[in-house]
Amino acid sequence: VLLETVACGICGSDLHCRHHAASFVAAARRSGLPIFDFDPGEDLVMGHEFSGRVLACGDGVDDLAEGTRVAAHPLVREDGRFEAVGYSNRWPGAYGERVVVHASGVLPLPAGTDPQHAALTEPLAVGLHAVNQSRAAERGSAIVVGCGPVGLAIITALRLRQVPLIVAADFSPARRQLAAGLGAHIVTDPREQSAVDAWRDGGGRRDAVLFEAVGVPGLLDEAMRSAPARSQIVVVGLCMEPDRIEPAIGVLKQLTVSFVLGWTPAEFRECLDAIASGAIDAGSLVTGRVDLDGAAAAFDELARPEDHVKILVVP
Amino acid sequence: VLLETVACGICGSDLHCRHHAASFVAAARRSGLPIFDFDPGEDLVMGHEFSGRVLACGDGVDDLAEGTRVAAHPLVREDGRFEAVGYSNRWPGAYGERVVVHASGVLPLPAGTDPQHAALTEPLAVGLHAVNQSRAAERGSAIVVGCGPVGLAIITALRLRQVPLIVAADFSPARRQLAAGLGAHIVTDPREQSAVDAWRDGGGRRDAVLFEAVGVPGLLDEAMRSAPARSQIVVVGLCMEPDRIEPAIGVLKQLTVSFVLGWTPAEFRECLDAIASGAIDAGSLVTGRVDLDGAAAAFDELARPEDHVKILVVP
């Protein structure tokens, strides 16, 4: 399906990939994930969090009228293999006016959905997947370290799952405020009170579920040190550098570290429906909009996390 | 309950603690586990894998006749708090003629149990706990990296749980032979074929359950690199040094790393019963016996992993 881009969110992975494409590809290759394999020496159009308008459909796709507004999985499929739109030399992403996706991942927007907000389906699905892979719902509480786009998506999903105690930590007052607005019951500045202490003050007991949504070296080690025994640490932030941990801390505390990525089609669908129904306030995550010419400057601006959560590129 | 030691196995943690007691205690303190807290400047009698003969019981314990042979949890309890026998300045372990334990963890040996083999209950329970904390039974296969005492205990437990494909890797031919004898279906020398490749050759598909039972720096990183996507890595070896991992590999592969420790009373009981019934061939793990005077030399000898699995100290 050929789409005209309506809006495309700028993702932290793209910020990284802009400057470190070679190491990004190398890590993907070491992981045996051909989906993220591209030639960093060739041109690349990124952008994988998008909504669009149907321009044309390939043979055999007859149920999508031209002009239909849609959210879409950023995927194409050839010969039974998936390739990631936006991390492929052959399949340009949505920081551009046109994008091609596989029909199986195209979801017409429910009536009344803001077409730009629908671009947030993908990053919100990442948060929902992280929560679904965690024990947060059964434990009844969660700690979210880092309230950038990923952390806020997790908070949104925890709220969607009606988790009764959500504690969020971030250095930025603006992000803490957003976290509270999206449903965190307690927000803390880690310089004043650690996330785990704030969780205990809020009634957290025994083992915890702690989301590491920062993705810089040292944070996993800190999470392992601060987590109560038998906790689950869910690593969502994509830290591309080697990191140092102390396995003995993990063993003595009997921790589980769950590394998560992506989403399922059902989670993607659930997030789109929640945006459509207003169960998720996607608009509050959008802190800026730029056109294609403004995209490069927006990348620079996102390096200052105080000011922004999600900037939409609107061609 | 005051016991006369029948036999006490030498554990890898003791080998480490002999030379690095301070870092051992420091890690335990950082983990908030008071059970392993002792003063490394004071005398310490180690030894926590033991069987014994009842000499005397404290007030209120009237169901253990003098002379009863028992296995026992290496624990005492005072004021509702447990302390680890063998890692306590106050409660000497079983590298000695007498040991005191809490009555609640004392298990009379089933009829016909070899009283020395009963000393293997504790380390075998560690393996059973690791297997129970893993998805090995539901996945129907497992990879065990390292066939020292911990790895062999895991293989024993996998066999007890009737896991149909058990692949074991070790550099030592003697240990590989033991692994095969205890029930590993495929054994491999990692210099010739990696554990994961051997598992695939044996029919392993998709995600794996991989036990890291070596406990030296670099092995977790290697496990994360070699494991198929969505695998579970179970860390059982107690690596006391800082270690380096690449979190991006974990995220891109969506790995779960489960750090495990210890056992439950039910698992301890099950292992004792399996030793008693012959379902576990505990004797094959015993590669040496020394008296108290021979213990120090036995510690040195265990640094050469080719020759030994478990040496029993028999006072």
Side-chain angles (χ1 to χ4, degrees):
Chain A
V1 178
L2 176 68
L3 304 178
E4 178 186 65
T5 306
V6 167
C8 181
I10 298 178
C11 171
S13 301
D14 295 343
L15 299 182
H16 179 88
C17 191
R18 181 195 194 187
H19 294 295
H20 307 284
S23 71
F24 185 90
V25 168
R29 282 184 190 163
R30 280 199 300 277
S31 306
L33 272 176
I35 196 174
F36 292 121
D37 202 350
F38 59 90
D39 180 348
E42 294 290 313
D43 279 347
L44 181 73
V45 180
M46 295 193 286
H48 60 275
E49 306 177 350
F50 53 84
S51 53
R53 211 171 59 84
V54 174
L55 289 179
C57 297
D59 288 345
V61 182
D62 48 19
D63 53 353
L64 284 169
E66 192 190 326
T68 307
R69 290 174 205 277
V70 300
H73 303 173
L75 293 169
V76 289
R77 192 169 68 187
E78 286 184 300
D79 308 325
R81 269 189 42 195
F82 282 100
E83 202 159 329
V85 168
Y87 291 121
S88 157
N89 301 117
R90 301 174 56 231
W91 300 101
Y95 300 143
E97 294 172 329
R98 303 277 184 280
V99 60
V100 171
V101 291
H102 194 267
S104 63
V106 175
L107 287 74
L109 303 189
T113 314
D114 181 310
Q116 290 190 9
H117 291 177
L120 290 153
T121 306
E122 203 275 347
L124 288 168
V126 168
L128 183 58
H129 184 65
V131 169
N132 285 347
Q133 296 289 303
S134 80
R135 303 190 303 241
E138 70 184 83
R139 281 296 290 122
S141 73
I143 300 167
V144 182
V145 176
C147 298
V150 173
L152 292 172
I154 292 165
I155 291 165
T156 303
L158 289 165
R159 194 65 185 215
L160 204 62
R161 288 281 177 270
Q162 301 181 302
V163 172
L165 174 61
I166 306 168
V167 177
D170 201 290
F171 291 124
S172 153
R175 286 183 162 185
R176 289 200 300 277
Q177 199 178 339
L178 263 167
L182 287 165
H185 304 94
I186 297 174
V187 294
T188 180
D189 180 342
R191 284 168 296 212
E192 285 169 17
Q193 185 178 37
S194 81
V196 172
D197 285 345
W199 172 78
R200 283 210 185 87
D201 274 4
R205 292 291 174 271
R206 301 188 307 279
D207 57 300
V209 177
L210 190 154
F211 293 87
E212 200 293 89
V214 180
V216 301
L219 265 289
L220 175 55
D221 184 54
E222 195 177 306
M224 291 175 67
R225 285 171 195 277
S226 68
R230 294 186 179 75
S231 291
Q232 178 186 30
I233 296 169
V234 184
V235 178
V236 199
L238 190 55
C239 170
M240 297 301 292
E241 292 148 87
D243 207 353
R244 185 182 168 284
I245 64 164
E246 199 169 339
I249 299 279
V251 169
L252 289 166
K253 287 192 178 179
Q254 303 158 68
L255 301 176
T256 301
V257 180
S258 306
F259 296 92
V260 303
L261 176 78
W263 34 261
T264 66
E267 288 160 346
F268 195 95
R269 156 62 69 190
E270 184 176 351
C271 284
L272 176 58
D273 289 345
I275 292 170
S277 72
I280 291 180
D281 177 16
S284 68
L285 295 166
V286 179
T287 53
R289 284 179 178 80
V290 295
D291 61 15
L292 284 178
D293 290 338
F299 267 63
D300 295 334
E301 201 152 335
L302 283 166
R304 297 199 306 276
E306 293 292 321
D307 303 337
H308 278 292
V309 177
K310 189 60 75 179
I311 296 181
L312 295 182
V313 178
V314 183
Chain B
V1 177
L2 176 67
L3 304 177
E4 177 185 67
T5 305
V6 167
C8 180
I10 297 178
C11 171
S13 302
D14 294 344
L15 300 181
H16 178 89
C17 190
R18 182 196 194 186
H19 293 295
H20 306 283
S23 71
F24 185 90
V25 168
R29 283 183 190 162
R30 280 199 298 276
S31 307
L33 272 175
I35 197 174
F36 293 122
D37 201 351
F38 59 89
D39 180 347
E42 295 289 314
D43 279 349
L44 180 75
V45 180
M46 295 192 289
H48 60 274
E49 305 177 351
F50 53 84
S51 53
R53 212 172 56 85
V54 173
L55 289 178
C57 296
D59 287 347
V61 181
D62 47 18
D63 53 353
L64 285 169
E66 192 191 324
T68 306
R69 290 174 204 278
V70 299
H73 304 174
L75 293 168
V76 289
R77 192 167 67 187
E78 285 184 300
D79 308 326
R81 270 190 41 195
F82 280 99
E83 202 160 331
V85 168
Y87 292 120
S88 156
N89 301 116
R90 302 172 56 231
W91 301 101
Y95 300 143
E97 294 171 329
R98 303 276 184 278
V99 60
V100 172
V101 292
H102 194 267
S104 62
V106 175
L107 287 75
L109 302 189
T113 313
D114 181 311
Q116 289 189 8
H117 291 176
L120 290 154
T121 306
E122 202 277 346
L124 288 168
V126 168
L128 183 57
H129 183 66
V131 170
N132 285 346
Q133 296 288 303
S134 81
R135 302 189 303 240
E138 69 182 84
R139 282 295 291 124
S141 74
I143 300 166
V144 182
V145 176
C147 299
V150 173
L152 293 171
I154 291 166
I155 292 165
T156 303
L158 288 166
R159 194 65 184 214
L160 204 62
R161 288 283 175 269
Q162 301 180 301
V163 172
L165 174 61
I166 306 168
V167 177
D170 201 290
F171 291 124
S172 153
R175 286 184 161 185
R176 289 200 299 276
Q177 199 177 341
L178 262 167
L182 287 165
H185 304 95
I186 298 174
V187 294
T188 181
D189 180 341
R191 284 167 298 213
E192 286 169 16
Q193 186 179 37
S194 81
V196 172
D197 286 344
W199 171 78
R200 282 211 185 88
D201 274 3
R205 292 293 174 268
R206 301 189 306 278
D207 57 300
V209 176
L210 190 154
F211 293 88
E212 199 293 90
V214 180
V216 302
L219 266 288
L220 175 55
D221 184 55
E222 195 177 306
M224 289 176 67
R225 284 171 196 277
S226 67
R230 294 188 179 75
S231 291
Q232 178 185 31
I233 297 169
V234 184
V235 179
V236 199
L238 190 55
C239 169
M240 296 301 293
E241 291 148 87
D243 206 353
R244 185 182 166 284
I245 64 164
E246 200 169 338
I249 300 279
V251 169
L252 289 167
K253 288 191 178 179
Q254 304 159 68
L255 302 176
T256 302
V257 181
S258 307
F259 296 92
V260 303
L261 175 78
W263 34 260
T264 65
E267 287 160 347
F268 195 97
R269 156 63 70 189
E270 184 176 351
C271 285
L272 177 58
D273 289 345
I275 293 169
S277 71
I280 291 180
D281 177 16
S284 69
L285 295 165
V286 178
T287 53
R289 284 182 178 78
V290 296
D291 61 14
L292 285 178
D293 292 336
F299 266 63
D300 295 333
E301 201 152 335
L302 283 167
R304 299 200 305 275
E306 293 293 319
D307 303 336
H308 279 292
V309 178
K310 192 59 77 179
I311 297 181
L312 295 181
V313 178
V314 183

